[in-house]
Amino acid sequence: MVCNRCILVVEGIFKTAGIEPESVTLGKVTLKEELSGIQKDSLRQQLEKVGFELLDDKRIRLIEQIKNRIIELVHHHNNRLKVNLSEYLSSFLKHEYSYLSNLFSESEGITIEKYFIAQKIERVKELLVYDELTLNEIADMLNYSSAAHLSTQFKNVTGLTPSRFKALKENDKRKPLDQV
């Protein structure tokens, strides 16, 4: 799940199935009691119909938590980290960063850092499309050391400079967050 609408959809599926979740947050549903096999199968089918999946494997759930933490940080908190990403993930997920990094890379085929950069670039694209902030303001918002650093990273990832991106109206080609 990557947005508040996703949370509402998932909550609705659980409630329709007669299951009252304790909480539903990005990527996680907390239940009061264990589900039966039939309930899990039914929920799995309903979630898949709307593009979600029910994750039972702890490693897969951990990877999803890493992704959701990064998405939330970049897209909902404008990357306002007081510590570095590795410390943030380790403290939040209660695992050594080296374990998280190896697990993520093995499963996703990219490093956590590259995933983080990809999310930041998608956020930059979004902010460029809105055309309300200067490149310097975007760089500051997303903790880049300078607009030049942001531009270099943007070009390395997209093949375009931020100004060229805006000129070409590439905003139609933005990816959904769960596909970055």
Side-chain angles (χ1 to χ4, degrees), residues 37-54:
I38 294 171
Q39 287 175 312
K40 279 184 184 178
D41 289 341
S42 174
L43 282 172
R44 182 174 281 112
Q45 290 173 1
Q46 294 305 309
L47 290 167
E48 286 175 357
K49 283 181 185 175
V50 293
F52 297 114
E53 53 187 312
L54 183 63

Side-chain angles (χ1 to χ4, degrees), residues 3-106:
C3 68
N4 291 332
R5 287 178 295 210
C6 299
I7 291 172
L8 291 173
V9 169
V10 170
E11 266 181 347
I13 289 171
F14 273 80
K15 288 179 180 177
T16 300
I19 302 165
E20 189 67 37
E22 275 185 17
S23 68
V24 180
T25 58
L26 292 176
K28 183 177 181 180
V29 176
T30 306
L31 301 173
K32 297 172 186 168
E33 51 195 50
E34 190 71 26
L35 297 175
S36 70
I38 294 171
Q39 287 175 312
K40 279 184 184 178
D41 289 341
S42 174
L43 282 172
R44 182 174 281 112
Q45 290 173 1
Q46 294 305 309
L47 290 167
E48 286 175 357
K49 283 181 185 175
V50 293
F52 297 114
E53 53 187 312
L54 183 63
L55 304 175
D56 289 332
D57 183 297
K58 287 184 182 186
R59 292 168 44 105
I60 293 171
R61 285 195 310 240
L62 191 54
I63 290 165
E64 286 302 309
Q65 287 179 323
I66 292 168
K67 288 180 177 180
N68 288 328
R69 285 281 105 200
I70 290 172
I71 288 169
E72 191 171 302
L73 177 66
V74 172
H75 296 275
H76 303 292
H77 298 296
N78 292 326
N79 194 33
R80 294 288 179 204
L81 265 183
K82 303 296 182 221
V83 296
N84 66 33
L85 181 64
S86 60
E87 290 175 23
Y88 172 75
L89 291 173
S90 293
S91 68
F92 189 83
L93 299 171
K94 310 290 188 245
H95 288 282
E96 291 290 324
Y97 184 75
S98 59
Y99 171 74
L100 296 173
S101 179
N102 290 334
L103 178 66
F104 191 90
S105 295
E106 181 183 298

